[in-house]
Amino acid sequence: MTPAETAEVAEIDTLEVTEPGIAVAAATAHGVDRVALGILGALSFCHLLNDLIASIVPAIYPVFRDTFRLDYAQIGLITLTYQCTASIFQPVVGAYTDKHPKPYSLAAGMGFTLLGLVLLARASSFEALLVAAALVGLGSAVFHPEASRVARMASGGRHGLAQSLFQVGGNFGSSLGPLLAAFIIVPLGQGSIGWFTLAALLAILLLTRIGGWYRAHRAATQKRVARHAPATHAPLSRAKIALSLFVLLALIFSKFFYTAGLTNYYTFYLIDHFGLSIQTAQLYLFSFLASVAVGTVIGGPIGDRMGRKFVLWFSILGALPFTLMLPYANLFWTGVLAVVIGVVTASAFATILVYAQELIPGRIGLISGLFFGLAFGMAGIGAAALGWLADLTSIGYVYKVCSFLPLIGFLTFFLPDIESVHSQRKRAKA
């Protein structure tokens, strides 16, 4: 977003289509400054709690491997179960809530996560671990599309910034999971997972408050519907939109397939390749996941200022030199390269999501659910496929194969300049 567009947002209400054919007014920028930034902060913190809980599962895979005598394929299957449950249900939830908004669904979704966490602490078999992973995945399926909608509602037109603030909470939560696992669950055992139910309960309380804001905000904006004309179409052909969505989905595949290899098998790589202890390897994993959080908070605002396509070029293709070097680096440079890769690749997702939302106005829930769901699905499929490949070869070989995935970033060439699309839309309205 240019400075002129930002000033325009500060002067007028922004329009968002939250139901088919109906345009409703979002909060003014003054309202966002005074109220909605608090909502974004609370939403980001709940995202932190949600993803902290979810990240506990891969963080303690070495514990589960020893306790249940799992092989890499079974470990990948746990991740696949969690990711695919979230992947399948997220677009379904998003499409439903586009037509039938449910302000308190956020708190209800966290309830599924709470149940999965309790079962995870008490599981006595591999099958129970799969059920627990499915419940946590179902909670994420409800949480992410609706939370993304609320973030957009609270953005005041600064969509990239709002999505980055929302997503960075999840990234920090994901980075804290391995750290807490290293110092709590590894020394105290599987039963100590139960302490994390307190995080889920806190999230339920906060999300209930956010649901109240969501309901009040929607009621207030519906009163302004008659003052605004519908704005449901972007000046792009269906073929161009379809091609753009295909490219965005390919970029999602590249980013999350590669990230799955680091998130789920980085500790094993460090343990097997460099002889590190479980706790030391968890610290390396924490540094990688923390770098992902830094990249996330950077990507959205840069996209608002410099254009979303620029961020996509940088975040996908820009990681290629570092991914190619990683499999051949020593321990020190492995840690450094993983951090650089985390920062660069993480800047993409907020931009991809906002770009897709702006391609198809009026389907915020569906688009958010589809892209969050695909991200989860790609991570799950990647974890399972890479686990299978690691059993056949080695973790080191897996990283060599995955190092070429950022080449898919060349497809960014086929994306239209979304900022030019917005300019055409404004001229059409005028």
Side-chain angles (χ1 to χ4, degrees):
M1 179 178 292
T2 65
E5 290 171 328
T6 302
E8 181 181 0
V9 168
E11 295 174 359
I12 64 173
D13 290 345
T14 57
L15 290 178
E16 287 300 335
V17 182
T18 57
E19 299 181 28
I22 299 178
V24 297
T28 62
H30 175 72
V32 169
D33 290 338
R34 184 169 57 87
V35 178
L37 285 177
I39 294 297
L40 285 173
L43 199 63
S44 182
F45 182 66
C46 289
H47 200 183
L48 182 153
L49 296 175
N50 180 84
D51 287 20
L52 182 152
I53 293 169
S55 68
I56 287 172
V57 181
I60 57 175
Y61 280 165
V63 176
F64 286 153
R65 180 178 64 173
D66 295 339
T67 302
F68 298 98
R69 298 182 180 178
L70 305 180
D71 57 29
Y72 286 127
Q74 288 175 306
I75 290 170
L77 186 58
I78 295 173
T79 301
L80 179 65
T81 300
Y82 163 72
Q83 303 284 22
C84 285
T85 302
S87 177
I88 291 169
F89 285 102
Q90 284 200 46
V92 175
V93 171
Y96 177 79
T97 53
D98 276 338
K99 296 181 179 180
H100 309 285
K102 303 293 182 184
Y104 293 103
S105 61
L106 289 166
M110 189 60 64
F112 289 110
T113 300
L114 176 62
L115 292 175
L117 195 59
V118 171
L119 181 57
L120 192 66
R122 301 177 63 87
S124 58
S125 66
F126 173 66
E127 292 75 17
L129 292 178
L130 292 179
V131 174
L135 286 170
V136 175
L138 184 59
S140 290
V142 178
F143 175 80
H144 284 96
E146 278 299 89
S148 182
R149 184 200 306 280
V150 174
R152 191 172 178 89
M153 290 168 62
S155 70
R158 297 183 286 268
H159 304 310
L161 173 64
Q163 287 298 328
S164 286
L165 290 176
F166 165 60
Q167 291 179 27
V168 76
N171 292 142
F172 273 120
S174 296
S175 66
L176 288 174
L179 196 63
L180 295 176
F183 291 102
I184 297 177
I185 299 175
V186 171
L188 298 180
Q190 180 184 349
S192 62
I193 297 173
W195 286 104
F196 292 90
T197 57
L198 298 175
L201 290 171
L202 176 59
I204 289 173
L205 292 175
L206 291 174
L207 290 172
T208 301
R209 297 289 298 273
I210 292 172
W213 179 88
Y214 179 0
R215 183 178 64 177
H217 181 277
R218 184 170 179 271
T221 55
Q222 281 183 322
K223 295 178 181 179
R224 307 186 216 175
V225 170
R227 293 162 46 194
H228 300 278
T232 58
H233 301 290
L236 286 175
S237 66
R238 290 188 176 183
K240 192 66 173 179
I241 290 174
L243 176 62
S244 299
L245 288 175
F246 171 79
V247 171
L248 293 176
L249 296 178
L251 297 181
I252 287 284
F253 166 79
S254 171
K255 168 181 164 49
F256 283 95
F257 213 87
Y258 184 86
T259 303
L262 280 179
T263 302
N264 292 281
Y265 302 109
Y266 190 36
T267 53
F268 296 117
Y269 177 75
L270 295 170
I271 292 169
D272 296 343
H273 201 65
F274 298 109
L276 299 186
S277 67
I278 293 177
Q279 287 187 323
T280 303
Q282 295 286 12
L283 294 177
Y284 273 81
L285 179 59
F286 167 74
S287 68
F288 165 70
L289 295 176
S291 72
V292 170
V294 172
T296 298
V297 79
I298 291 173
I302 292 177
D304 285 340
R305 282 185 172 273
M306 303 184 66
R308 316 220 185 274
K309 193 170 180 179
F310 169 81
V311 174
L312 296 181
W313 275 117
F314 170 76
S315 61
I316 303 298
L317 194 60
L320 182 63
F322 309 108
T323 61
L324 291 174
M325 289 188 286
L326 181 67
Y328 307 97
N330 60 23
L331 176 60
F332 171 79
W333 285 110
T334 293
V336 172
L337 289 170
V339 167
V340 174
I341 291 168
V343 171
V344 174
T345 59
S347 62
F349 188 58
T351 299
I352 290 173
L353 182 59
V354 173
Y355 191 109
Q357 290 173 343
E358 293 172 351
L359 275 177
I360 309 179
R363 295 293 185 270
I364 302 302
L366 174 61
I367 291 297
S368 299
L370 176 64
F371 276 81
F372 272 110
L374 186 70
F376 277 62
M378 284 298 101
I381 293 171
L386 296 178
W388 172 79
L389 182 60
D391 282 334
L392 292 179
T393 57
S394 67
I395 294 293
Y397 181 78
V398 166
Y399 284 172
K400 290 179 182 178
V401 172
C402 289
S403 66
F404 295 96
L405 284 173
L407 284 170
I408 294 175
F410 279 113
L411 292 176
T412 303
F413 173 81
F414 296 101
L415 291 174
D417 185 345
I418 199 69
E419 284 72 29
S420 297
V421 171
H422 291 328
S423 298
Q424 294 176 36
R425 186 186 303 168
K426 288 179 180 179
R427 287 195 294 269
K429 288 179 182 179

